[in-house]
Amino acid sequence: FAITEKIQPVPPPPPEPAAVPERTPTVSSFAPVVEKVAQSVVSVHTSKMVRVPKVLRDFFGPNPNGGSTTQGLGSGVIVSPDGYILTNNHVTEGADQIYVTFGVERTRYAAKKVGSDPGTDLALLKIDATDLPVIPFADSSKAKVGDVVLAVGNPFGLTQTVTMGIISGLGRGGMGIVDYENFIQTDASVNPGNSGGALVDLEGRLLGINTAIFSRTGGNQGIGFAVPADLA
């Protein structure tokens, strides 16, 4: 007798599950970065005595100082724990008095300008203080167009204001703002009073010193410029 056995077909293996594409984590809040850098950004206040011609003093009445006082406002960045602060030269140029305020308590210190470079619009201030919160520097040569950045400063006297944007361009120059131009361009909102403040990356490192804007109105139009941290 022939013995036969029915061979059952082997079922094919189940299909492997489709690979789930990796997702880049999204940032839901910049608060940790702001908390890290805001304490290192200060308000810079200046005053300057403007001499009034004698004929005007005679007309408007005597002034014991022979003139009037003008006030200025900008921002600055603490770069050493013993009181050195970077800002813009145009913020402090010609000032008779300079003082800075920072911290929740709005602590006020008299400041002295110990160095300036009009060619890059940078100035260095010194206050009599120690153990100050210092902002770390980034390697601004590694910045790329499209990187997310935050601008921290005091626009229009509104202290500790933070705006967000991206790096819109690198190596900007030839605009006649200062002698040496190699600006980082950003669309983070920059307005009067932001000058001398910090442009930071998402690690809380200083990428640049906010310096100027292109504007037809005097307010922000999405084109701001910062001196790169490497140059500063």
Side-chain angles (χ1 to χ4, degrees):
F1 295 95
I3 299 176
T4 62
E5 182 179 354
K6 189 174 182 180
I7 306 298
Q8 297 294 328
V10 177
E16 294 185 2
V20 178
E22 294 185 2
R23 296 185 62 186
T24 302
T26 57
V27 178
S28 59
S29 175
F30 297 109
V33 182
V34 174
E35 291 171 359
K36 183 177 180 180
V37 304
Q39 59 184 346
S40 300
V41 179
V42 305
S43 299
V44 179
H45 307 261
T46 64
S47 62
K48 180 180 180 180
M49 183 61 65
V50 179
R51 296 296 175 183
V52 178
K54 183 177 183 302
V55 62
L56 294 180
R57 295 203 303 271
D58 292 342
F59 183 80
F60 289 108
N63 185 307
N65 296 317
S68 61
T69 302
T70 61
Q71 305 290 329
L73 177 67
S75 305
V77 181
I78 301 172
V79 294
S80 76
D82 56 344
Y84 285 95
I85 297 169
L86 267 176
T87 186
N88 283 142
N89 183 65
H90 77 259
V91 170
T92 59
E93 188 173 20
D96 296 317
Q97 291 183 318
I98 306 170
Y99 65 92
V100 302
T101 60
F102 60 92
V104 177
E105 300 83 7
R106 308 309 302 158
T107 308
R108 173 171 165 164
Y109 290 91
K112 178 181 179 181
K113 182 158 68 173
V114 295
S116 63
D117 181 25
T120 56
D121 196 18
L122 291 170
L124 188 65
L125 307 179
K126 179 69 169 67
I127 63 175
D128 186 13
T130 57
D131 299 323
L132 297 178
V134 176
I135 191 168
F137 276 61
D139 182 354
S140 58
S141 68
K142 295 182 179 179
K144 295 181 179 180
V145 174
D147 286 350
V148 176
V149 291
L150 303 177
V152 187
N154 306 288
F156 303 110
L158 300 171
T159 58
Q160 295 295 302
T161 295
V162 182
T163 55
M164 183 200 73
I166 63 170
I167 293 177
S168 306
L170 295 166
R172 296 299 197 208
M175 294 170 290
I177 299 174
V178 290
D179 295 337
Y180 187 81
E181 298 177 344
N182 184 30
F183 293 123
I184 298 172
Q185 181 184 334
T186 180
D187 67 346
S189 182
V190 176
N191 285 289
N194 272 113
S195 292
L199 186 72
V200 302
D201 63 15
L202 295 189
E203 298 296 323
R205 300 172 301 183
L206 183 71
L207 274 174
I209 300 294
N210 296 318
T211 297
I213 60 174
F214 261 174
S215 175
R216 297 181 185 276
T217 63
N220 173 65
Q221 291 188 311
I223 303 179
F225 301 104
V227 177
D230 290 356
L231 175 59

